[in-house]
Amino acid sequence: MKELLTGNLPNSFLIGGREYHICSDFRAMLRLEEIFSSEELTDEEKAERALKLFYGCVPEPLEEAVERLCYFWSCGRQEKEGRAKGEGAAQPPIYSFTHDAGLIYGAFLTQYGIDLSRKSLHWWQFMALFHSLPQGCQIKRRMEIRGIGSQELSKMKDAKQRREIRRLQRLYALEDSEYEDED
């Protein structure tokens, strides 16, 4: 993601020999996440809405347009082809831009002095700042608690600590998350 340092953040993509300007603001990407998590839309409707939001239209060839959107969403990180054994298994989410909106807003305001309701940020800038929030802030603490798996919990010797983490996991749970109650 050297583009963050050089100032060459993508604002358009060449698809099928034609340049398409994109909506690179973080708010558009948050709306994109809402589109993909919608249970009322079909996959085709989701794809069409997402492409129209991102490009302003549905570019052709479609496969290339979707590929560029995914590249942008991942902040330019390419999918690793050779993964180590056990990597890549689906992990439950540890944050939600919708559920954690207030914590994220507060963290950006207190840590960076950025009022996200007024400031425009390129998606890649937003994500770099989000992932760089210090461990002590509330959103990072909740992400850490949500990320503790049952295997990790079972290795803890202190039963009181395990119970407290399970309590916090229930308290901080995202809407579809379920934590086992084993104690």
Side-chain angles (χ1 to χ4, degrees), residues 4 11 18 48 53 74 86 90 95 104 110 118 132-133 137 145 147-148 152 154 160 167 169 173 179:
L4 281 169
N11 288 306
R18 182 173 167 212
E48 183 179 347
L53 173 65
S74 69
Y95 64 89
I104 295 167
T110 58
R118 300 173 192 263
S132 297
L133 286 168
C137 72
I145 293 292
I148 297 173
E152 202 174 339
S154 66
K160 184 178 177 184
R167 184 188 74 77
Q169 285 180 329
Y179 294 99

Side-chain angles (χ1 to χ4, degrees), residues 89-165:
Q91 300 290 329
I94 60 170
Y95 64 89
S96 159
F97 291 122
T98 302
H99 187 82
D100 296 322
L103 292 173
I104 295 167
Y105 175 84
F108 271 69
L109 191 58
T110 58
Q111 295 300 315
Y112 305 125
I114 296 173
D115 183 342
L116 291 175
S117 69
R118 300 173 192 263
K119 177 84 171 154
S120 265
L121 284 174
H122 189 281
W123 175 243
W124 292 14
Q125 292 170 317
F126 173 83
M127 289 305 289
L129 292 171
F130 177 69
H131 289 299
S132 297
L133 286 168
Q135 284 306 118
C137 72
Q138 186 65 347
I139 183 63
K140 284 291 200 150
R141 179 69 180 138
R142 288 188 187 193
M143 289 166 60
E144 180 184 334
I145 293 292
R146 290 172 184 154
I148 297 173
S150 55
Q151 270 189 332
E152 202 174 339
L153 264 176
S154 66
K155 292 178 184 173
M156 291 180 182
K157 304 242 186 273
D158 186 348
K160 184 178 177 184
Q161 183 184 20
R162 277 195 312 273
R163 280 192 301 276
E164 177 62 9
I165 289 173

Side-chain angles (χ1 to χ4, degrees), residues 43-60:
D43 288 345
E44 293 78 22
E45 290 170 326
K46 289 177 184 182
E48 183 179 347
R49 286 188 185 187
L51 291 169
K52 283 182 178 177
L53 173 65
F54 190 62
Y55 295 107
C57 64
V58 179
E60 293 290 333

Side-chain angles (χ1 to χ4, degrees), residues 1 3-12 72 122 124-125:
M1 226 185 341
E3 295 87 354
L4 281 169
L5 300 177
T6 63
N8 296 322
L9 297 172
N11 288 306
S12 66
F72 186 82
H122 189 281
W124 292 14
Q125 292 170 317

Side-chain angles (χ1 to χ4, degrees), residues 26-41:
F26 78 96
R27 287 175 192 81
M29 298 298 100
L30 299 182
R31 283 193 296 277
L32 214 149
E33 183 180 84
E34 289 172 1
I35 289 169
F36 284 122
S37 63
S38 171
E39 293 181 11
E40 288 103 42
L41 300 173

